[in-house]
């Protein structure tokens, strides 16, 4: 047996072992009773009700939770369950209107049970570690910490040579192709009954696009570009790569090689029908400042990775406070609501070393509302630093 044949034999053994593990995992997490039994459905409804317990429809449904869950379970078992449709509305987020297609609480619990008991346990092991959105234990802070680590790792090997390619998917949810998505998920979820329910939730939005406001849409959007993630990470061997839903970056020490990687990356996006937002896609040298997930980064000559709050975040908060003051004068908001809203914003900015931003924003808040901001007294370190910032803000400049 030649060296090449031994290499192929080892590869086939590893491949067979991985396939065996995948089949065992799929069999474990695609049991009907463990996904759509009475107990999993009740847990799913309770989980969904936490975020919408003030809505009338949710309160009515939860008053007869066991009875309602039992009725839905029987419909699911008999194959007679049908969706109640969507509650369509629009919200304005960061100056952009987004169309939301929210489902009824009766469907939310079913989707929650499907995702938590089947889809996520099966699909999550296939995702790259640096896919940081909409999963337990991950989120914005996770993505920012990984970005900082990738910058430090790059500096240890190459210094500040090279550049970063930032990309953004345009109309991501609305451009997802349903047929390839179902095909990719069907390769991992082998139970036909579970796949039938998944198809019912996905095809409810049409042949193209997924709706915002559905948990199945959320995990589907996280999983859909998985082939691109593995292509860049595994086949191209790029360590400094990560994706947060429709935003991501690629770090490379050679700008010419980075441009070639971008060309192959765009080709893979075209194959999946993903449209890139050309205005937001850009290559930036590591010697300059750059913004990722609304946080400003730059790498010093000594290799220190510095985070700062984006200027737009401060500008928008000041604009929002002025609006709140008008609402308070019209009797639409109380000062207590404005205080807690502002307090929440201050604590949400702790990821960017915001002491001086805190001082200036607290000073602006005090002048605008002719008051003195005082954070609650707790043992939390952030509150102690915030209390010192509020004390500095009350001193004369």
């Amino acid at each position: 047996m030649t060296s090449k044949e031994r290499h192929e034999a080892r590869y086939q053994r590893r491949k067979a072992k991985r396939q065996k593990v995948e089949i065992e995992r799929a069999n474990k997490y695609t049991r009907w009773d463990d996904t759509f039994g009475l107990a999993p459905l009740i847990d799913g409804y309770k989980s969904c009700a936490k975020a919408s317990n003030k809505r009338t429809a949710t309160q009515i449904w939860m008053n007869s939770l066991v009875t309602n869950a039992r009725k839905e379970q029987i419909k699911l078992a008999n194959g007679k369950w049908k969706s109640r449709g969507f509650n369509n509305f629009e919200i304005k987020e960061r100056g952009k209107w987004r169309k939301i297609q929210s489902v009824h609480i009766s469907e939310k619990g079913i989707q929650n049970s499907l995702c938590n008991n089947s889809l996520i346990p099966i699909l999550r092991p296939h995702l790259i570690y640096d896919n940081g959105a909409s999963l337990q234990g991950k989120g914005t802070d996770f993505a920012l910490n990984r970005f900082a680590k990738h910058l430090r790792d790059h500096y240890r090997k190459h210094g500040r040579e090279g550049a970063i390619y930032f990309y953004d998917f345009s109309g991501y949810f609305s451009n997802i192709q349903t047929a390839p998505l179902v095909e990719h998920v069907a390769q991992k979820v082998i139970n036909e009954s579970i796949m039938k329910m998944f198809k019912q939730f996905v095809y409810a939005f049409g042949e193209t696009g997924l709706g915002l406001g559905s948990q199945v849409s959320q995990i589907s959007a996280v999983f859909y570009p998985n082939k691109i993630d593995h292509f860049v990470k595994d086949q191209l061997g790029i360590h400094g790569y990560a994706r947060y839903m429709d935003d991501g970056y690629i770090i490379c020490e050679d700008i010419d090689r980075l441009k070639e990687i971008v060309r192959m990356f765009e080709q893979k996006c075209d194959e999946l029908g993903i449209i890139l937002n050309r205005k937001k896609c850009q290559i930036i040298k590591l010697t300059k400042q750059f913004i990722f997930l609304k946080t400003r980064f730059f790498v010093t000559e000594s290799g220190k990775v510095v985070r700062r709050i984006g200027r737009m975040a401060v500008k928008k908060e000041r604009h929002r406070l002025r609006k709140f003051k008008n609402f308070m004068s019209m009797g639409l908001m109380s000062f207590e609501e404005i205080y807690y809203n502002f307090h929440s914003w201050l604590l949400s900015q702790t990821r960017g070393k915001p002491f001086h931003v805190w001082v200036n924003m607290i000073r602006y808040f005090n002048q605008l509302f002719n008051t003195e901001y005082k954070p609650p007294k707790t043992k939390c370190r952030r509150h102690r630093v915030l209390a010192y910032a509020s004390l500095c803000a009350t001193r004369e400049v």
Side-chain angles (χ1 to χ4, degrees), residues 185-243:
V185 175
Q187 294 174 359
K188 312 300 180 185
V189 182
I190 59 177
N191 188 296
E192 294 183 1
S193 300
I194 299 295
M195 275 305 301
K196 183 180 178 181
M197 290 301 302
F198 175 77
K199 291 177 183 178
Q200 187 170 350
F201 291 130
V202 169
Y203 280 115
F205 300 103
E207 295 295 329
T208 302
L210 299 175
L212 293 168
S214 166
Q215 190 172 353
V216 172
S217 298
Q218 201 75 11
I219 184 60
S220 299
V222 171
F223 178 74
Y224 186 64
N226 191 47
K227 287 187 175 182
I228 300 176
D229 299 339
H230 282 285
F231 172 75
V232 178
K233 276 280 191 181
D234 302 336
Q235 296 185 35
L236 300 181
I238 303 298
H239 172 68
Y241 170 85
R243 179 172 62 86

Side-chain angles (χ1 to χ4, degrees), residues 82-252:
K82 291 183 179 180
S83 174
R84 295 191 181 186
F86 303 104
N87 179 22
N88 298 312
F89 59 94
E90 290 185 348
I91 61 172
K92 193 173 185 179
E93 184 182 16
R94 298 191 297 272
K96 182 179 179 180
W97 287 100
R98 298 184 183 274
K99 184 179 179 181
I100 307 298
Q101 293 176 285
S102 178
V103 296
H104 189 263
I105 181 63
S106 61
E107 186 173 341
K108 282 184 180 179
I110 296 173
Q111 289 198 19
N112 184 277
S113 182
L114 174 63
C115 292
N116 293 341
N117 297 314
S118 288
L119 294 181
I120 293 177
I122 293 174
L123 299 181
R124 181 165 184 166
H126 297 280
L127 303 175
I128 63 171
Y129 180 72
D130 292 318
N131 187 340
S134 301
L135 294 171
Q136 187 176 3
K138 297 188 177 182
T140 306
D141 288 333
F142 172 84
L144 292 173
N145 291 336
R146 291 298 295 174
F147 182 49
K149 184 181 185 306
H150 287 156
L151 290 173
R152 288 192 293 267
D153 293 344
H154 180 89
Y155 182 85
R156 290 189 187 100
K157 291 184 178 181
H158 311 286
R160 294 201 296 173
E161 295 180 3
I164 307 177
Y165 171 67
F166 291 100
Y167 65 85
D168 180 84
F169 298 151
S170 178
Y172 179 48
F173 276 76
S174 59
N175 290 322
I176 290 178
Q177 304 297 313
T178 307
L181 170 64
V182 172
E183 182 182 350
H184 297 163
V185 175
Q187 294 174 359
K188 312 300 180 185
V189 182
I190 59 177
N191 188 296
E192 294 183 1
S193 300
I194 299 295
M195 275 305 301
K196 183 180 178 181
M197 290 301 302
F198 175 77
K199 291 177 183 178
Q200 187 170 350
F201 291 130
V202 169
Y203 280 115
F205 300 103
E207 295 295 329
T208 302
L210 299 175
L212 293 168
S214 166
Q215 190 172 353
V216 172
S217 298
Q218 201 75 11
I219 184 60
S220 299
V222 171
F223 178 74
Y224 186 64
N226 191 47
K227 287 187 175 182
I228 300 176
D229 299 339
H230 282 285
F231 172 75
V232 178
K233 276 280 191 181
D234 302 336
Q235 296 185 35
L236 300 181
I238 303 298
H239 172 68
Y241 170 85
R243 179 172 62 86
Y244 187 86
M245 196 59 80
D246 58 344
D247 295 304
Y249 59 87
I250 303 173
I251 306 176
C252 187

Side-chain angles (χ1 to χ4, degrees), residues 6-103:
R6 287 195 299 271
H7 178 79
E8 180 64 23
R10 286 195 300 269
Y11 169 73
Q12 293 299 333
R13 287 196 297 270
R14 290 195 300 269
K15 183 178 179 181
K17 187 176 180 180
R18 286 196 299 268
Q19 290 176 347
K20 182 181 178 182
V21 172
E22 289 180 11
I23 293 172
E24 290 176 353
R25 185 190 300 120
N27 289 330
K28 179 180 179 181
Y29 292 108
T30 55
R31 297 169 186 163
W32 182 266
D33 292 338
D34 293 342
T35 305
F36 296 120
L38 183 60
L41 288 178
I42 291 176
D43 292 339
Y45 286 123
K46 288 181 178 179
S47 178
C48 294
K50 292 179 182 178
S52 59
N53 55 3
K54 293 184 179 181
R55 296 179 182 176
T56 304
T58 303
Q59 293 175 358
I60 293 173
W61 182 269
M62 296 301 292
N63 285 338
S64 304
L65 173 59
V66 177
T67 303
N68 292 331
R70 178 58 179 167
K71 290 180 181 178
E72 299 299 314
Q73 182 199 10
I74 294 173
K75 292 178 184 178
L76 289 167
N78 296 334
K80 296 181 179 180
W81 184 88
K82 291 183 179 180
S83 174
R84 295 191 181 186
F86 303 104
N87 179 22
N88 298 312
F89 59 94
E90 290 185 348
I91 61 172
K92 193 173 185 179
E93 184 182 16
R94 298 191 297 272
K96 182 179 179 180
W97 287 100
R98 298 184 183 274
K99 184 179 179 181
I100 307 298
Q101 293 176 285
S102 178
V103 296

